[in-house]
Amino acid sequence: RKEVEQDPGPFNVPEGATVAFNCTYSNSASQSFFWYRQDCRKEPKLLMSVYSSGNEDGRFTAQLNRASQYISLLIRDSKLSDSATYLCVAHQETSGSRLTFGEGTQLTVNP
Amino acid sequence: DGGITQSPKYLFRKEGQNVTLSCEQNLNHDAMYWYRQDPGQGLRLIYYSQIVNDFQKGDIAEGYSVSREKKESFPLTVTSAQKNPTAFYLCASSTRGGGAYNEQFFGPGTRLTVL
C-alpha cells in the first residue's frame, strides 16, 4: 500500500463549481501535511499547509482527520486558473525533513 | 532574488552515457533533495542531504549518485546503470530537520531524455 494515496482523477468541472480532493495516509506517525499545486510541465509549489484540524485560505479549505488518517482539499468557486495537478504530501518528524508525496489529482476547470 | 536553479532545462543523452544534473540554491537551506517524476505519477525521492558532506538514499537511489561538497550545490549524476533514466528531475531545498513547518522549495526541473 502506498504511504499517501489520492483520488486518481482526473476531475473536469465547470467554472464556479466546488470540487473536493481526498487523500489518505498510512503512516500514523505523519504529523503535518501539505497540498502542493503543480502546473503542467512545471515544478510543484506549496498551496496550503495543514497542521491541526484544518486550514482555510480564501477559496481553498484543507481539512485533516487524524482518526481516519484522511486529508481533503476543497476548492470553492473554481477558476480556470485552478486547472493543475494537486499533490497531497505528508511529513513525519522522525524522518527529519523528508516528505512523502501522493501521485496527484489532475483538475481541469472548463469555461 | 533567492531561489533554486537547475540546469539545463532539457537534456538529451545517448544510452550508456553518464550525465550530471546541476542544482544550486541561495536560500541558505541546509537540506536538499532530488526527485524523479514520470508522466502521470507523483514525485519519488532519489537522494537527499540534510547537511554538507552527508547524504542518504531515498526510495529509488539505484543508478544514481550525488555529492554535497557545498551547502549551495547538490548535483545528481544519472549513471549508465539506471535502467530507465528518461524522466523529469526536480531538485528541492528546505530548512533542516523536523518540526511542523517543512516547506520544500523546488527548482524548475530538468527533462532528461535518453535516446
Side-chain angles (χ1 to χ4, degrees), chain B residues 45-99:
Chain B
L45 183 65
I46 304 172
Y47 268 98
Y48 64 107
S49 167
Q50 299 199 68
I51 197 167
V52 174
N53 291 323
D54 186 46
F55 49 82
Q56 289 81 39
K57 292 182 179 179
D59 300 318
I60 54 165
E62 185 176 351
Y64 299 97
S65 65
V66 293
S67 63
R68 186 84 188 277
E69 297 175 1
K70 297 188 299 182
K71 186 175 184 178
E72 303 79 20
S73 179
F74 190 40
L76 173 75
T77 297
V78 184
T79 75
S80 57
Q82 168 50 233
K83 295 178 182 177
N84 187 18
T86 295
F88 186 38
Y89 290 87
L90 287 157
C91 178
S93 70
S94 74
T95 54
R96 181 190 170 191

Side-chain angles (χ1 to χ4, degrees), chain B:
Chain B
D1 288 334
I4 303 175
T5 57
Q6 291 184 243
S7 61
K9 189 172 182 179
Y10 297 96
L11 188 56
F12 296 87
R13 278 294 182 269
K14 291 183 179 179
E15 194 172 346
Q17 289 182 332
N18 290 357
V19 60
T20 298
L21 310 184
S22 166
C23 178
E24 304 279 332
Q25 55 98 0
N26 60 5
L27 299 168
N28 201 33
H29 285 163
D30 286 303
M32 296 186 74
Y33 314 80
W34 273 105
Y35 294 91
R36 169 185 173 135
Q37 187 175 35
D38 294 283
Q41 296 192 32
L43 278 66
R44 292 185 289 167
L45 183 65
I46 304 172
Y47 268 98
Y48 64 107
S49 167
Q50 299 199 68
I51 197 167
V52 174
N53 291 323
D54 186 46
F55 49 82
Q56 289 81 39
K57 292 182 179 179
D59 300 318
I60 54 165
E62 185 176 351
Y64 299 97
S65 65
V66 293
S67 63
R68 186 84 188 277
E69 297 175 1
K70 297 188 299 182
K71 186 175 184 178
E72 303 79 20
S73 179
F74 190 40
L76 173 75
T77 297
V78 184
T79 75
S80 57
Q82 168 50 233
K83 295 178 182 177
N84 187 18
T86 295
F88 186 38
Y89 290 87
L90 287 157
C91 178
S93 70
S94 74
T95 54
R96 181 190 170 191
Y101 190 66
N102 227 43
E103 179 182 357
Q104 289 186 10
F105 295 83
F106 285 84
T110 293
R111 291 197 178 273
L112 173 64
T113 302
V114 176
L115 306 171

Side-chain angles (χ1 to χ4, degrees), chain A residues 15-92:
Chain A
E15 257 187 303
T18 295
V19 60
F21 303 135
N22 299 318
C23 174
T24 57
Y25 59 96
S26 60
N27 190 336
S28 58
S30 298
Q31 293 176 293
S32 50
F33 304 89
F34 308 89
W35 283 100
Y36 275 76
R37 170 195 169 126
Q38 186 175 24
D39 292 302
C40 188
R41 303 178 75 82
K42 299 284 189 181
E43 73 274 23
K45 294 186 179 178
L46 182 66
L47 177 66
M48 295 185 74
S49 305
V50 190
Y51 303 127
S52 55
S53 60
N55 191 17
E56 184 171 331
D57 182 5
R59 298 183 294 109
F60 298 84
T61 300
Q63 293 193 314
L64 169 63
N65 184 322
R66 290 190 188 274
S68 303
Q69 298 187 188
Y70 167 88
I71 311 133
S72 65
L73 177 68
L74 183 76
I75 305 176
R76 291 181 296 275
D77 187 24
S78 53
K79 312 291 184 190
L80 296 177
S81 57
D82 293 333
S83 298
T85 296
Y86 292 83
L87 303 171
C88 177
V89 186
H91 174 237
Q92 300 93 40

